[in-house]
Amino acid sequence: MTPAAAPPLAPPALTYACDVEDVPLGEGRALTLDGRRIALFRSFEGWFALDDACPHSGGPLADGIVCDHAVICPLHERRFALATGDALTSDDEAATAHEVEVRAGRVFVAVAAERSAAAAA
Amino acid sequence: MSRSVVIVGGGIAGQAVCEQVRERDREATITLVCGEVSPPYDRVRLSEILVSGEDPKTLELRPAEWFADQRVDVRCGRWVTAVDTAAREATLDDDTALAYDALVLATGSQPLMPPIPGIDLPGVHPFRTPADCAAIHAAAANGTQHAAVIGGGLLGLEAARGIAAQGTTVTVVHLVDRLMERQVDAGAAALLVPALAELGIDVLLERSTECIMGPDRARGLRFAGGDELAADLVVVSVGIRPETTLAREIGVACERGIVVDDAMGTDHDGIYAVGECAQHRGRIYGLVAPIFEQARVAAEAIAGEDALYPGSVLTAKLKVAGIDLVTAGEAGGEREAIVADPDAGVYRKLAVSGGRAVGAVLLGDTRGAEALVAAVRSGEPVDDPLQALADASALGPADLPDTAQICDCNGVCKSDLVAAVADEGCATPREVMARTRAGTGCGSCKPAVIEIVAAATGGLNEEPAYLCPCRKQTREQLAETIRADGHESVSDVAAACGTGRECGTCKPALAYLVSEVRANQHREERDARYINDRVHANIQRDGTFSVVPRMYGGVTTPDELRRIADVADRYEVPMVKVTGGQRLDLLGVRKQDLPAIWAELGMPSGHAYAKAVRTVKTCVGTDFCRFGLGDAIGLGTEMEKAWEGLHTPAKVKSGVSGCPRNCAEATVKDIGCVAVEGGWQVRLGGAAGGNVREADVLCTVETRAEALRVTTTFLQYYRENADYKERTYDFVPRVGLETVREVVLGEESGAALRQRLKIAKAATSDPWLERDDPYHPSQFSDLDEPGEQEPELALVGPPPEGAR
């Protein structure tokens, strides 16, 4: 028995993060996964995850305002795209983005090793 | 070995040389010997502080850090006492010896005080230093009946304007038959007189002052011919005398000024002179633009570059609010094209000699000034002066050639401004001015800078202040929609208008607007709020929070202090600090500890994290102070209780002082009250932050109750009409003190404002009570405790549902 199409590389493993109702709609919350502090966002457009440290000066992105597929850092109001981590209003480096999947009310995160893993996805 | 440059004189010239030398030579040792106790300041703008009464510190050319960063050794309050020109060594009055490769004399000038009887009487002032300025301002603002200014040149007129601005009538007395005869012709000078009259400034021409009448102090002027003018304040502004004392002592050749060649060098090798002390080709320049050109040439010569100073075309702008006057070059020429509308106070002239532009005078209508000044400066060929004059008036600053100099003070061309936008990413006039220094001298080119930057950035700066720039909706439009359609929440407004959906940066502004229009009976949506307003604490740079409990009027009790101390101990609070607003701040608190800390404190929120009514700072007033005239603590506490919990467009910091000594700094607060003999003075729109602004006096009332009522009325007016993040110090000047006065002090309008405030206030509650009633179970927590043991991984690999 052979699988129809095996992916060339194994995707990062999914790790359980929280239940859907643990994060208020339109906000973010932080947690540690695989030794990394990650900001998990429940935006109106879906779930996203970024490293919790703003590339500019380490601000807690989980405490930022979420809108239009982006988060605004609470310290200096720089905006980052939720899906890619790209800096939208500054020339900061991108924040590392992580894949999120929701299954049956449970939220899972695939913690990316590098930014490229998420950007390529 | 690096070059050593010693600059003598801490004025605009000394500073300019300093900057120019450093620009060319990063290694040079630069010493600035500055006889005044403060570092160089912008003397050109002295008349501005005469009008505003602001602190002379606002005139500083560069902050102290600049001198440290640029490794300029500033010796304030020191004088050069001797120079050994052979050994190239200068000695200071503290016996320090400074070896130099180049010595630059930038000793400036002294005001010319004519030797007439009475010139030494009290009440007679030159107009030269911040101290003169302060003395004139104080005299004009306090009880002067009538002032006289001797000298109708540029500086004399600016001084007169400063005095008139204090509400004192003033007469300008001038020796010859027209004002500013060095810069303007008879036609323009004649129109200046009525324009000055409108500002409360009388002019007496062809009057030679014979003496200042005393005997105890200045009482008036007596002129040749015998007529007299009563005046108890006399300002003398008849010209300058180059300061050449040091140069003469060390044997440098001087005539009226220190004689310099075309490289700004004196007759001694290695000694240069720049500015008002220098005499070049027989001329002494008392204006700022030539000084800047001279400083550049001197720096080039010191650096060993080819340096040539051919002399300067004189340009002048009169900095008198209400009169627009720009002049350049000669007041007349072989051919003159003149356009004049005397009734409208307009006079425009272009003078041409030998087929080239040699002079321009623009009064009342300065359109095209930059282009005409540029033409005069470069000696542009002109065939048809009348046509050139007409063409120029259609040219805005944005149409100028790239080489046109916009800021004469700092020698900044249009191309420099455009490059700051295009290459250096500056987006606003303020950024461009900080980068290029344009507009930071006398400030008269600011409108041109703003126009050029607007053109270069695509005109963004001319847009109205949109609350939501993405959807181009203003605060007024949105408030109207919320009112008319009854929207209750940010998401309602977003659904109706599309605001807050694109970049989302306006969501907090919308949240405030909805709460204000709905008098706090809106539906709260925390995702639209900053983290500070979600957890009612101020986020710090490391992601922790600060906790400031409310202490009305800054008064606390031993019991409260004990609780604060216990909380600080128990939660290992890293720092407890007294704030500028007289409160206690617990800094470095973890988000998840907030609810428990609030409960243990048992004190209401101080709102130190919000755009809201913050603190009312008070002095001890009549309770204990020997000088107190009014009960500052009583009024401050009443204000704080009446306003507690009200959110505002931007933070509101208040203060109440029990006497005019003003220990609570109420004159630099958003809302301030100062007890004066017979009542309370109410002040608005003060600031003591990045900018310092003395609060405007709204009114003086007789009782504490009235003071509370008036300030409360203003608070609501500000809540309803200011743009989000607009502090009172921007709001009050924007709408105008007169308008504020009319609405706030108006009987009906005031009552309506107070009624609306009452309704909004009734719907407030202490946000720290959310400790018992959070809007979401995770309001104060993350999904785990940061730094704690990582939880067991619940699952590794794809979830079971996905593994099918």
Side-chain angles (χ1 to χ4, degrees):
Chain A
M1 197 169 101
T2 35
L9 282 172
L14 288 176
T15 308
Y16 169 75
C18 65
D19 290 349
V20 162
E21 60 270 23
D22 290 342
V23 179
L25 185 59
E27 297 187 27
R29 288 294 183 272
L31 81 166
T32 304
L33 289 177
D34 290 1
R36 245 166 129 148
R37 199 73 188 153
I38 284 171
L40 193 55
F41 300 98
R42 185 185 176 192
S43 83
F44 291 92
E45 295 93 6
W47 286 79
F48 298 93
L50 298 175
D51 273 3
D52 191 36
C54 175
H56 167 229
S57 71
L61 292 178
D63 284 341
I65 287 181
V66 172
C67 195
D68 188 32
H69 304 85
V71 61
I72 305 169
C73 176
L75 294 194
H76 305 104
E77 308 204 341
R78 295 174 183 221
R79 283 179 82 222
F80 297 87
L82 290 175
T84 61
D86 287 339
L88 300 176
T89 55
S90 58
D91 45 19
D92 290 305
E93 286 176 23
T96 302
H98 310 278
E99 293 262 340
V100 184
E101 275 195 50
V102 180
R103 306 276 168 108
R106 289 158 63 80
V107 182
F108 300 87
V109 175
V111 178
E114 302 272 328
R115 161 174 157 68
S116 55
Chain B
M1 218 189 84
S2 71
R3 188 180 286 125
S4 172
V5 181
V6 174
I7 300 158
V8 187
I12 292 176
Q15 175 68 21
V17 173
C18 198
E19 303 210 1
Q20 292 287 335
V21 169
R22 177 54 82 220
E23 200 166 282
R24 282 168 183 74
D25 186 348
R26 301 304 307 168
E27 304 302 318
T29 305
I30 303 178
T31 310
L32 183 64
V33 184
C34 178
E36 297 195 40
V37 288
S38 53
Y41 61 89
D42 190 354
R43 201 191 296 282
V44 180
R45 283 170 49 224
L46 212 51
S47 67
E48 279 177 33
I49 66 166
L50 183 55
V51 172
S52 66
E54 276 180 70
D55 192 314
K57 266 194 105 59
T58 60
L59 299 183
E60 274 181 14
L61 285 167
R62 293 284 193 183
E65 306 85 68
W66 184 90
F67 295 97
D69 288 351
Q70 299 293 321
R71 289 172 291 109
V72 173
D73 181 6
V74 187
R75 306 285 177 96
C76 283
R78 291 268 83 92
W79 300 85
V80 173
T81 50
V83 176
D84 182 339
T85 53
R88 296 205 176 191
E89 190 176 83
T91 307
L92 305 188
D93 60 345
D94 60 356
D95 293 333
T96 315
L98 298 169
Y100 66 82
D101 298 300
L103 178 72
V104 183
L105 301 174
T107 45
S109 64
Q110 296 293 333
L112 203 57
M113 296 299 270
I116 52 174
I119 194 83
D120 297 326
L121 285 172
V124 181
H125 301 276
F127 180 47
R128 188 67 185 160
T129 65
D132 299 334
C133 210
I136 297 168
H137 183 85
N142 297 305
T144 290
Q145 298 293 312
H146 188 80
V149 175
I150 305 178
L154 190 74
L155 209 56
L157 295 185
E158 290 180 5
R161 166 60 184 157
I163 294 166
Q166 312 308 318
T168 302
T169 56
V170 53
T171 303
V172 174
V173 180
H174 198 48
L175 189 61
V176 299
D177 63 352
R178 65 173 203 256
L179 295 169
M180 291 180 66
E181 73 280 1
R182 304 256 297 270
Q183 287 94 11
V184 306
D185 62 353
L191 291 184
L192 265 178
V193 175
L196 289 165
E198 293 226 340
L199 299 172
I201 302 169
D202 283 336
V203 177
L204 286 177
L205 297 171
E206 297 182 87
R207 291 294 198 291
S208 168
T209 305
E210 246 174 18
C211 76
I212 300 170
M213 298 183 292
D216 52 333
R217 50 161 298 119
R219 300 285 176 191
L221 306 182
R222 183 178 301 126
F223 305 118
D227 51 340
E228 294 179 355
L229 173 74
D232 46 356
L233 168 65
V234 177
V235 176
V236 182
S237 176
V238 295
I240 57 168
R241 182 172 54 77
E243 176 53 66
T244 56
T245 315
L246 177 66
R248 288 177 201 277
E249 277 172 13
I250 62 182
V252 170
C254 294
E255 290 170 9
R256 268 192 311 141
I258 305 166
V259 178
V260 293
D261 58 22
D262 285 355
M264 304 314 292
T266 65
D267 66 341
H268 281 54
D269 267 355
I271 301 184
Y272 301 81
V274 165
E276 291 177 324
C277 63
Q279 178 182 330
H280 174 260
R281 299 190 191 173
R283 291 181 82 170
I284 290 167
Y285 294 92
L287 296 168
V288 66
I291 290 175
F292 193 86
E293 292 168 24
Q294 293 178 355
R296 183 173 43 74
V297 172
E300 285 168 357
I302 291 168
E305 300 169 18
D306 287 338
L308 174 72
Y309 178 63
S312 294
V313 170
L314 285 180
T315 64
K317 289 175 188 167
L318 185 63
K319 290 176 296 303
V320 167
I323 301 180
D324 294 325
L325 173 66
V326 178
T327 70
E330 311 293 325
E334 293 163 7
R335 293 173 69 196
E336 296 178 351
I338 296 171
V339 179
D341 181 352
D343 287 343
V346 171
Y347 184 90
R348 295 165 62 84
K349 167 170 162 177
L350 178 63
V352 176
S353 291
R356 293 179 179 275
V358 295
V361 178
L362 302 172
L363 173 66
D365 176 355
T366 57
R367 282 178 299 163
E370 294 82 4
L372 288 169
V373 170
V376 170
R377 193 172 269 136
S378 63
E380 207 170 276
V382 175
D383 296 333
D384 183 346
L386 204 55
Q387 187 64 41
L389 199 54
D391 289 348
S393 65
L395 286 180
D399 304 315
L400 289 172
D402 279 351
T403 51
Q405 182 160 304
I406 305 301
C407 174
D408 293 335
C409 300
N410 291 304
V412 183
C413 295
K414 185 189 165 197
S415 57
D416 301 326
L417 301 176
V418 174
V421 173
D423 306 335
E424 311 200 34
C426 296
T428 63
R430 175 185 279 210
E431 286 168 24
V432 172
M433 288 191 254
R435 166 77 63 170
T436 61
R437 313 284 306 155
T440 59
C442 73
S444 61
C445 66
K446 269 186 197 165
V449 173
I450 290 168
E451 203 166 313
I452 290 167
V453 173
T457 54
L460 287 175
N461 305 299
E462 292 181 10
E463 291 194 353
Y466 290 122
L467 184 147
C468 177
C470 302
R471 288 303 169 103
K472 299 205 185 306
Q473 297 271 322
T474 63
R475 183 182 55 79
E476 290 85 355
Q477 289 167 328
L478 288 164
E480 191 45 47
T481 309
I482 295 167
R483 225 171 264 128
D485 301 341
H487 300 306
E488 289 187 348
S489 66
V490 172
S491 56
D492 281 357
V493 185
C497 310
T499 47
R501 283 216 167 146
E502 279 156 54
C503 73
T505 36
C506 68
K507 287 209 294 185
L510 276 178
Y512 170 74
L513 186 66
V514 171
S515 74
E516 188 275 303
V517 173
R518 306 285 303 181
N520 291 330
Q521 286 152 33
H522 61 293
R523 196 169 69 245
E524 177 72 18
E525 291 170 338
R526 287 295 163 82
D527 65 276
R529 297 285 193 182
Y530 291 119
I531 186 67
N532 285 10
D533 287 311
R534 292 183 195 165
V535 302
H536 315 302
N538 193 1
I539 193 165
Q540 307 293 307
R541 60 187 307 158
D542 62 351
T544 63
F545 291 84
S546 82
V547 172
V548 181
R550 176 93 37 202
M551 288 176 182
Y552 304 97
V555 179
T556 183
T557 63
D559 187 42
E560 283 179 347
L561 289 173
R562 249 176 237 117
R563 276 180 277 154
I564 290 168
D566 287 344
V567 161
D569 271 344
R570 195 165 307 133
Y571 293 88
E572 296 174 337
V573 173
M575 179 176 277
V576 183
K577 189 177 184 315
V578 179
T579 70
Q582 300 180 332
R583 303 301 134 100
L584 285 170
D585 193 351
L586 303 168
L587 289 145
V589 172
R590 300 184 305 169
K591 187 162 52 172
Q592 65 267 31
D593 289 337
L594 291 169
I597 285 182
W598 297 337
E600 289 179 39
L601 287 173
M603 297 165 73
S605 162
H607 290 86
Y609 48 82
K611 301 192 191 310
V613 174
R614 295 272 181 100
T615 57
V616 181
K617 186 174 182 172
T618 66
C619 69
V620 288
T622 43
D623 283 359
F624 291 92
C625 180
R626 287 175 292 142
F627 302 111
L629 296 172
D631 181 359
I633 294 177
L635 176 56
T637 305
E638 283 172 358
M639 284 160 63
E640 203 164 333
K641 288 195 166 159
W643 306 343
E644 177 185 8
L646 286 170
H647 285 250
T648 42
K651 63 185 164 192
V652 173
K653 296 173 159 188
S654 308
V656 181
S657 285
C659 83
R661 286 173 189 77
N662 194 22
C663 295
E665 295 160 355
T667 52
V668 287
K669 296 295 182 195
D670 292 293
I671 301 178
C673 294
V674 182
V676 293
E677 207 59 67
W680 294 90
Q681 187 185 59
V682 177
R683 286 174 169 263
L684 308 172
N691 281 307
V692 179
R693 180 178 194 271
E694 185 179 348
D696 297 317
V697 178
L698 176 74
C699 58
T700 301
V701 295
E702 285 178 11
T703 65
R704 198 166 112 185
E706 281 175 273
L708 176 63
R709 197 179 64 219
V710 169
T711 50
T712 302
T713 316
F714 170 74
L715 183 71
Q716 181 66 10
Y717 180 65
Y718 170 63
R719 294 184 70 235
E720 292 179 6
N721 293 285
D723 288 330
Y724 194 64
K725 291 189 180 174
E726 183 181 32
R727 292 286 300 268
T728 62
Y729 51 76
D730 290 323
F731 172 69
V732 172
R734 174 170 68 85
V735 300
L737 187 61
E738 272 318 302
T739 310
V740 175
R741 225 172 241 153
E742 212 168 282
V743 181
V744 170
L745 303 181
E747 207 164 303
E748 266 180 45
S749 52
L753 283 166
R754 287 188 293 277
Q755 182 61 26
R756 291 197 290 275
L757 179 130
K758 206 167 154 187
I759 295 168
K761 168 74 173 150
T764 61
S765 60
D766 176 14
W768 285 2
L769 295 176
E770 283 181 10
R771 61 184 178 247
D772 300 321
D773 185 19
Y775 72 87
H776 187 276
S778 73
Q779 176 174 2
F780 301 107
S781 55
D782 276 304
L783 296 168
D784 57 17
E785 302 280 305
E788 76 177 11
Q789 192 68 29
E790 197 170 328
E792 282 293 300
L793 292 183
L795 179 130
V796 175
E801 299 96 312
R804 274 191 301 255

